[in-house]
Amino acid sequence: MIGVIAKLTIKPGTNTDFEATMKALQAKVQADEPGNKLYALHKTADANVYIMLERYTDQAALEAHRAAPHFKELGRKLGDYLAGRPDVQVMQEV
């Protein structure tokens, strides 16, 4: 299994639109990516910082996620809300 933690810092005041776009992406990932086992957005104590937890069966499933049309389409839209590049950690499960 592959685990991913992505820290997403958004522009102030974009929470509603950001969360709606993430929910749309989450629904597509869960419906269309059989290698994805977890795709969950979490709020933090900072209103502008979110954590996305992801889990994939293997590296191929992670690569399929990154190449998926819905990820590319909605990922571009998410760029409108981000205050900088996501801080992404990819880990191999022990």
Side-chain angles (χ1 to χ4, degrees):
M1 291 283 184
I2 303 289
V4 178
I5 298 173
K7 180 180 177 185
L8 307 163
T9 303
I10 64 167
K11 297 171 186 170
T14 63
N15 301 73
T16 301
D17 292 333
F18 171 77
E19 289 178 19
T21 302
M22 286 301 296
K23 285 182 182 189
L25 178 57
Q26 186 175 15
K28 292 295 280 178
V29 168
Q30 292 171 341
D32 298 341
E33 297 182 27
N36 175 270
K37 302 302 176 192
L38 176 67
Y39 202 76
L41 184 65
H42 297 78
K43 293 181 179 185
T44 68
D46 182 334
N48 298 317
V49 177
Y50 292 80
I51 301 293
M52 174 61 77
L53 299 178
E54 306 172 37
R55 191 170 189 225
Y56 300 90
T57 54
D58 54 25
Q59 186 64 35
L62 174 57
E63 291 170 13
H65 166 69
R66 291 178 174 165
H70 54 263
F71 180 74
K72 290 181 178 184
E73 174 192 343
L74 292 169
R76 277 191 294 275
K77 190 173 181 182
L78 287 171
D80 294 340
Y81 312 122
L82 295 177
R85 294 181 56 87
D87 177 11
V88 179
Q89 297 177 40
V90 178
M91 304 157 289
Q92 181 68 47
E93 187 173 321
V94 182

